[in-house]
């Protein structure tokens, strides 16, 4: 049963809400198919849903939003669909970068830069540089990203430091985490997946270790403030023990 949605600016309970929320934005293609429209139009409506969600997040107490934009596996999609997705990146940054900067949003792109079209790489670099001074809200877009690939990259970064003589320390959890694309962002509290699917699809595998999971039966183009508020309220009603007993967690947090 879905929890009743609180007003975005008035939390329904005293339980702390999530600071860092990640969303797997799923269902663009099915949304378009159900309406007899091309998949490209589903992706474009998905961009509008993203804009609504970004605007709503700070009012729900969220400091960091990480969204899955394009995975390392998405390159296997039809060429015209990949081209359209790349075009949406160009359009979104061109139309919204100034607004994001003015709103105090810092934009950070997670994922491999190698293999991206040259103009996309330049757009990403510009967007990150132009918003680097902002600290009101952190928006992370996983683009050309895969959780397994990120873990491999983090391990290779540590190995490179060892080979360069910069460290002789063993590879620890802390060292590996410091090499991830998400290093420096708040700990992940909540992962939301839309469209009714219930899997992580190679998204934030390390970070998901103790995150709460919420699966919502809503196609991404229909997403917005109310759906996000419902996910946050579901999170507030969870009991997070991190592998310990409730009494132990309460004692630590007291």
């Amino acid at each position: 049963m879905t929890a009743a949605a609180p007003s975005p600016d008035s939390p329904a309970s005293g339980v702390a809400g999530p600071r860092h929320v990640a969303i797997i934005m799923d269902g663009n293609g099915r949304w378009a198919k159900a309406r007899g429209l091309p998949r490209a139009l589903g992706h474009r409506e998905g961009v509008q849903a993203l804009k609504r969600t970004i605007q709503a997040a700070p009012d729900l107490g969220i400091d960091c939003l990480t969204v899955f934009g394009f995975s390392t596996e998405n390159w296997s999609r039809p060429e015209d669909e990949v081209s359209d997705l790349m075009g949406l990146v160009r359009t979104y940054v061109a139309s919204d970068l100034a607004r994001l900067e003015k709103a105090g949003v810092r934009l950070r792109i997670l994922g491999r830069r190698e293999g991206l079209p040259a103009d996309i790489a330049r757009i990403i670099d510009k967007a990150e540089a132009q918003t680097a001074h902002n600290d009101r809200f952190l928006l992370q877009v996983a683009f050309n990203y895969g959780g397994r690939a990120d873990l491999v990259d983090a391990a290779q970064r540590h190995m490179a430091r060892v080979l360069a003589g910069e460290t002789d320390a063993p590879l620890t959890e802390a060292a590996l985490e410091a090499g991830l694309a998400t290093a420096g962002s708040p700990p992940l509290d909540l992962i939301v997946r839309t469209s009714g699917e219930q899997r992580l699809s190679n998204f934030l595998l390390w970070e998901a270790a103790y995150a709460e999971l919420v699966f919502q039966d809503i196609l991404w183009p229909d997403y917005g403030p109310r759906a996000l508020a419902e996910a946050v309220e579901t999170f507030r009603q969870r009991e997070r023990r991190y592998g310990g007993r409730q009494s132990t967690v309460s004692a630590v947090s007291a």
Side-chain angles (χ1 to χ4, degrees), residues 210 241-245:
Y210 283 103
R241 294 188 297 273
Y242 300 95
R245 294 183 178 178

Side-chain angles (χ1 to χ4, degrees), residues 13 29-30 38 56 89 101 136 150 154 191 197 230:
S13 74
R30 275 168 283 172
V89 174
E101 182 182 15
R136 176 175 178 263
D150 197 32
I191 297 179
E197 300 291 350
E230 289 180 355

Side-chain angles (χ1 to χ4, degrees), residues 73-246:
E73 291 79 20
N74 285 158
W75 293 106
S76 64
R77 292 189 176 188
E79 186 176 344
D80 59 341
E81 185 175 358
V82 171
S83 177
D84 188 70
L85 288 168
M86 294 296 159
L88 286 178
V89 174
R90 300 179 181 99
T91 302
Y92 177 70
V93 173
S95 66
D96 266 49
L97 183 57
R99 183 184 62 79
L100 292 174
E101 182 182 15
K102 185 177 179 180
V105 176
R106 177 188 170 200
L107 182 60
R108 186 183 188 196
I109 308 300
L110 313 178
R112 292 175 171 173
R113 304 296 167 93
E114 300 84 3
L116 290 177
D119 70 314
I120 295 291
R122 287 193 298 270
I123 287 170
I124 287 173
D125 289 342
K126 176 186 176 183
E128 289 186 325
Q130 195 166 320
T131 62
H133 62 285
N134 286 336
D135 58 9
R136 176 175 178 263
F137 185 80
L138 175 60
L139 172 62
Q140 299 186 131
V141 179
F143 194 80
N144 197 25
Y145 172 91
R148 290 178 176 178
D150 197 32
L151 286 166
V152 170
D153 291 346
Q156 289 181 336
R157 290 185 186 104
H158 181 79
M159 187 185 302
R161 292 186 64 216
V162 171
L163 293 176
E166 297 174 8
T167 182
D168 59 0
L171 180 59
T172 62
E173 288 189 12
L176 184 67
E177 190 168 75
L180 295 173
T182 53
S185 62
L188 181 60
D189 296 308
L190 170 64
I191 297 179
V192 175
R193 182 168 189 148
T194 64
S195 86
E197 300 291 350
Q198 299 185 15
R199 56 181 177 272
L200 291 179
S201 295
N202 199 21
F203 183 48
L204 300 180
L205 299 182
W206 177 278
E207 297 85 349
Y210 283 103
E212 296 295 316
L213 307 180
V214 171
F215 301 103
Q216 294 179 290
D217 194 11
I218 177 174
L219 300 177
W220 178 248
D222 293 325
Y223 209 82
R226 177 164 292 275
L228 182 61
E230 289 180 355
V232 168
E233 179 58 19
T234 299
F235 174 90
R236 287 196 179 104
Q237 301 195 25
R238 299 279 177 87
E239 187 178 285
R240 307 185 78 198
R241 294 188 297 273
Y242 300 95
R245 294 183 178 178
Q246 181 59 38

Side-chain angles (χ1 to χ4, degrees), residues 18-76:
R19 288 186 59 212
H20 183 178
V21 175
I23 303 180
I24 301 173
M25 306 178 292
D26 194 17
N28 292 344
R30 275 168 283 172
W31 183 92
K33 183 178 180 181
R35 290 160 176 77
L37 300 171
R39 289 180 66 90
L41 289 183
H43 292 312
R44 291 171 193 173
E45 286 301 315
V47 170
Q48 299 307 312
L50 177 59
K51 292 180 181 181
R52 294 192 297 270
T53 304
I54 293 169
Q55 290 174 342
D59 291 335
L60 289 162
I62 299 168
D63 298 323
C64 176
L65 182 67
T66 302
V67 296
F68 207 178
F70 189 87
S71 77
T72 50
E73 291 79 20
N74 285 158
W75 293 106
S76 64

